[in-house]
Amino acid sequence: MGCFFSRRRKPALGGQQQQQQQQQAGAGQDAAPGEQKAPQYSWDLRAKIDPKDYTFSGLRDETVGRLPGKVAGQQFVIQDCENCKIYIFDHSATITIDDCVNCQIFLGPIKGSVFFRDCKDCKCVVACQQFRTRDCRKLEVFLCCATQPIIESSTGMKFGCFQYYYPELALQFKDAGLSIFNNTWSNIHDFTPVSGENNWGLLPESAVVQDYVPLPSSEELKAVRISTDAAKSIIPITRGQRQKNSDESCLAVFFAGDYTTANARKLIDEMTSKGFQLVQTKEVLMKAEDAHRVFQQSASEFIPLLEKGPVVALEFNGDGAVEQCRSTINEVFSGTKVFVSESKASASQDVDNFYNFADMQMGM
């Protein structure tokens, strides 16, 4: 529908108002007599985006990067680089990496997709909404990906769980619209499988990020206060698709509130310090009918809490996981409503019920 504007006669301006308007309109008024100066609009005054500021191209044997705040949600392009160390310590809209060889790359949170094409022998740390490769060979990636990662016409791919920290990273995840609890790093979909061959696998559990993508050596990038200690990682380290050590798991679900993330991190620390393994995490919105499916008999207790926002679910694995998880929650979170599996017998069904629901909700 079009918009219609009526013409209104402007009221006469007083002397001071007239002078102010002339100063605003006439700053730098050097138009020829009889010519009208083109009006200036707010979008003309915005800083112009120079694509060169958001591109690394044709580099050899260099260390380059962008500090926090320097990309600020723009798109970024990395292409035709060889033997380079590349660090994007900021959030971005999308990133494409084309024709790169033997590069070590860190990419901060990406709101949309990261797409590797025709790359080989690269080592990367990546956080994104969507991850895809095409025609790549021998990429080793520590990954946080909200959706199922996809490889196409790619071989020798290895994946590990994203583990990284610097002070600005948590806010960058928020600015990129990514949850630290939604990470399907090991649930790879091979778009072009070859019968009898496996085009991808998992990095060793003992793999250390710094051995793959070392800390930057340039003076400018050293200003970023990085830790690659897995215990400090902004993303909880999960086992993913690796085989579980025990046939006993436990589901714990925190409900939205001021301390949901802190509480979930606290329980992870408590359980992992006692030798239990974090298998998977998820942050997702639930409705009343979902609660009945997942929480069953105790659903009515938790349904009123669902209106506050998404829940955070954690699966722990290990002999005695249920007993230890219930004990920890009673001791540490006594004033907080938390769903936790009641017994080893029910826990397996709890885990299946929740993650089947969550995968459907997120279109996995």
Side-chain angles (χ1 to χ4, degrees):
M1 183 183 293
C3 295
F4 298 90
F5 300 92
S6 60
R7 292 176 179 271
R8 285 177 140 180
R9 184 183 298 277
K10 293 183 180 178
L13 297 172
Q16 187 176 5
Q17 289 174 300
Q18 195 171 24
Q19 187 178 11
Q20 285 176 341
Q21 191 183 66
Q22 287 170 346
Q23 287 173 344
Q24 290 168 354
Q29 203 173 33
D30 49 9
E35 287 185 11
Q36 191 170 1
K37 183 174 171 64
Q40 271 197 319
Y41 298 100
S42 60
W43 51 85
D44 291 325
L45 303 176
R46 291 177 191 157
K48 293 288 189 285
I49 299 297
D50 187 343
K52 291 197 296 294
D53 293 335
Y54 305 95
T55 304
F56 291 135
S57 181
L59 304 180
R60 299 290 181 270
D61 306 302
E62 291 191 48
T63 296
V64 294
R66 291 288 183 267
L67 292 170
K70 295 300 184 182
V71 178
Q74 296 294 327
Q75 298 181 18
F76 211 97
V77 174
I78 301 170
Q79 60 189 16
D80 190 30
C81 294
E82 188 170 348
N83 300 326
C84 289
K85 295 178 174 64
I86 298 169
Y87 305 86
I88 307 295
F89 293 125
D90 205 357
H91 69 103
S92 56
T94 62
I95 296 185
T96 55
I97 303 99
D98 292 332
D99 301 293
C100 288
V101 178
N102 196 34
C103 290
Q104 296 159 316
I105 302 171
F106 174 87
L107 303 178
I110 301 160
K111 186 171 187 175
S113 62
V114 59
F115 201 176
F116 287 83
R117 297 177 294 200
D118 299 288
C119 295
K120 63 180 181 178
D121 298 314
C122 291
K123 297 174 171 60
C124 314
V125 181
V126 179
C128 58
Q129 174 75 20
Q130 298 174 313
F131 177 91
R132 188 165 183 178
T133 70
R134 192 180 69 205
D135 299 314
C136 291
R137 288 195 295 120
K138 290 188 178 177
L139 299 193
E140 296 174 316
V141 186
F142 289 87
L143 179 63
C144 174
C145 187
T147 57
Q148 186 174 30
I150 295 174
I151 65 171
E152 179 181 356
S153 303
S154 299
T155 60
M157 311 291 289
K158 294 288 180 67
F159 295 90
C161 183
F162 181 104
Q163 41 199 282
Y164 217 81
Y165 170 85
Y166 52 87
E168 299 86 354
L169 192 51
L171 184 57
Q172 291 172 5
F173 265 87
K174 187 175 180 181
D175 288 340
L178 300 178
S179 167
I180 63 170
F181 297 109
N182 290 336
N183 185 9
T184 62
W185 66 271
S186 63
N187 187 21
I188 311 298
H189 175 67
D190 188 349
F191 202 69
T192 51
V194 178
S195 179
E197 296 181 23
N198 197 353
N199 293 322
W200 67 276
L202 303 182
L203 290 168
E205 280 189 76
S206 58
V208 178
V209 166
Q210 207 168 318
D211 293 341
Y212 292 76
V213 180
L215 300 185
S217 55
S218 71
E219 288 304 316
E220 180 193 25
L221 297 175
K222 279 182 181 177
V224 182
R225 291 180 290 147
I226 300 162
S227 172
T228 57
D229 180 354
K232 294 182 179 178
S233 175
I234 195 79
I235 298 293
I237 311 301
T238 54
R239 286 188 65 75
Q241 301 286 320
R242 289 193 176 101
Q243 188 170 349
K244 297 176 183 178
N245 290 345
S246 167
D247 63 355
E248 180 176 349
S249 277
C250 179
L251 179 71
V253 180
F254 288 89
F255 297 86
D258 293 337
Y259 305 106
T260 307
T261 297
N263 286 342
R265 298 300 301 246
K266 176 67 173 171
L267 182 59
I268 291 169
D269 290 345
E270 292 281 340
M271 292 293 287
T272 54
S273 70
K274 294 177 172 66
F276 296 95
Q277 294 184 316
L278 182 64
V279 177
Q280 55 184 336
T281 64
K282 191 70 75 176
E283 183 171 11
V284 66
L285 287 165
M286 294 186 77
K287 299 176 182 174
E289 58 266 30
D290 305 321
H292 283 294
R293 187 183 314 143
V294 174
F295 305 133
Q296 300 191 355
Q297 292 88 348
S298 54
S300 58
E301 180 184 350
F302 300 110
I303 284 173
L305 304 175
L306 301 179
E307 296 178 2
K308 295 181 180 178
V311 303
V312 172
L314 314 171
E315 179 192 351
F316 295 101
N317 182 259
D319 294 342
V322 172
E323 182 182 349
Q324 183 61 57
C325 196
R326 292 183 68 84
S327 171
T328 302
I329 285 171
N330 287 334
E331 292 171 12
V332 181
F333 306 99
S334 55
T336 304
K337 281 242 182 192
V338 186
F339 172 85
V340 60
S341 298
E342 290 189 1
S343 67
K344 177 181 176 180
S346 65
S348 178
Q349 192 62 51
D350 292 339
V351 170
D352 288 344
N353 287 344
F354 182 86
Y355 284 97
N356 287 341
F357 144 73
D359 287 348
M360 285 191 296
Q361 182 85 347
M362 301 186 76
M364 297 293 289

